[in-house]
Amino acid sequence: DGGITQSPKYLFRKEGQNVTLSCEQNLNHDAMYWYRQDPGQGLRLIYYSQIVNDFQKGDIAEGYSVSREKKESFPLTVTSAQKNPTAFYLCASETGMNTEAFFGQGTRLTVV
Amino acid sequence: GENVEQHPSTLSVQEGDSAVIKCTYSDSASNYFPWYKQELGKGPQLIIDIRSNVGEKKDQRIAVTLNKTAKHFSLHITETQPEDSAVYFCAARNNDMRFGAGTRLTVKP
């Protein structure tokens, strides 16, 4: 079945540690996105990528990094520089041609 | 970059009534406007979308209208049911996709 998969579903991190969230899609989509969602809040854009080996910062990129070495994969690293990383992280992909974006089920990151 | 504002933040209606959610956007180059429904602990799912060359689109109980001149678009849900209760997001797409802050819709039986 085609889809977009985020892992893990729940992630705990100690302060000062980097952690990487996985996002994989087998939909052959060119564009991929990372959003952060805080309780009762909307989706804020962290990074996006329109094509392999290229990505752009969104509104809240500070403290995060990404890579897009393969079309199927767009991992997000939450670095120790992110002051308040506890949140729900959503990955999405789309064809890049103004069509439906498909979301993963999200990763809930908690800093302990 | 694009800025999307969404109102209201919460909406409570009686089962069978209509619900309307409104969004405005800032970038006149945006040309694709989807609406997503998010249930608790899950990723958002598309419910309807509209492109800039269309003024209105309907799918059963759900309709979306777009006014490009005024840069606003709206979601209309008729004959609401308890299972319509969720958080709804509007979005606008140009080079990237930006979302509104969401509307928590509660349909009371």
Side-chain angles (χ1 to χ4, degrees):
Chain A
D1 286 337
I4 180 166
T5 303
Q6 288 185 244
S7 61
K9 189 171 182 179
Y10 299 96
L11 188 57
F12 296 87
R13 187 196 93 174
K14 292 183 178 179
E15 282 193 33
Q17 287 182 338
N18 292 358
V19 63
T20 297
L21 282 59
S22 171
C23 180
E24 303 277 334
Q25 54 97 0
N26 60 4
L27 300 165
N28 199 33
H29 285 171
D30 286 312
M32 296 187 75
Y33 300 83
W34 275 105
Y35 294 91
R36 169 179 171 142
Q37 187 175 30
D38 293 287
Q41 303 295 314
L43 281 67
R44 292 187 291 167
L45 183 64
I46 305 173
Y47 268 98
Y48 66 101
S49 169
Q50 301 283 23
I51 199 168
V52 175
N53 291 323
D54 188 42
F55 49 83
Q56 284 79 40
K57 293 181 179 180
D59 295 327
I60 57 165
E62 185 175 352
Y64 300 97
S65 66
V66 294
S67 63
R68 187 83 188 278
E69 297 175 0
K70 298 186 300 181
K71 189 175 187 178
E72 309 80 47
S73 180
F74 192 41
L76 174 74
T77 297
V78 184
T79 74
S80 56
Q82 169 51 236
K83 298 305 179 189
N84 185 21
T86 295
F88 189 51
Y89 291 86
L90 285 162
C91 178
S93 73
E94 52 143 346
T95 62
M97 299 296 288
N98 288 343
T99 57
E100 176 181 359
F102 292 83
F103 281 84
Q105 290 299 297
T107 293
R108 187 167 299 281
L109 172 64
T110 303
V111 174
V112 297
Chain B
E2 175 66 275
N3 181 46
V4 180
E5 295 193 358
Q6 182 172 346
H7 300 281
S9 57
T10 60
L11 179 59
S12 182
V13 300
Q14 207 66 38
E15 182 177 0
D17 288 349
S18 295
V20 180
I21 302 170
K22 298 182 178 182
C23 288
T24 60
Y25 61 99
S26 61
D27 186 352
S28 57
S30 289
N31 50 20
Y32 176 63
F33 306 92
W35 286 88
Y36 287 84
K37 176 181 181 182
Q38 185 180 30
E39 296 179 346
L40 192 63
K42 296 184 178 180
Q45 287 195 304
L46 182 78
I47 55 171
I48 195 167
D49 56 14
I50 191 166
R51 289 173 177 77
S52 57
N53 58 345
V54 176
E56 184 173 357
K57 184 177 178 180
K58 189 173 181 180
D59 182 4
Q60 299 182 4
R61 297 187 296 109
I62 295 173
V64 58
T65 59
L66 171 65
N67 183 326
K68 283 217 72 178
T69 303
K71 289 190 280 189
H72 66 71
F73 55 115
S74 300
L75 177 71
H76 304 252
I77 305 174
T78 59
E79 301 172 24
T80 54
Q81 301 166 2
E83 51 265 39
D84 293 330
S85 297
V87 179
Y88 291 82
F89 292 98
C90 62
R93 192 191 192 283
N94 184 14
N95 294 316
D96 57 41
M97 189 157 55
R98 303 300 176 99
F99 284 79
T103 296
R104 181 173 298 280
L105 173 64
T106 302
V107 181
K108 295 178 287 186

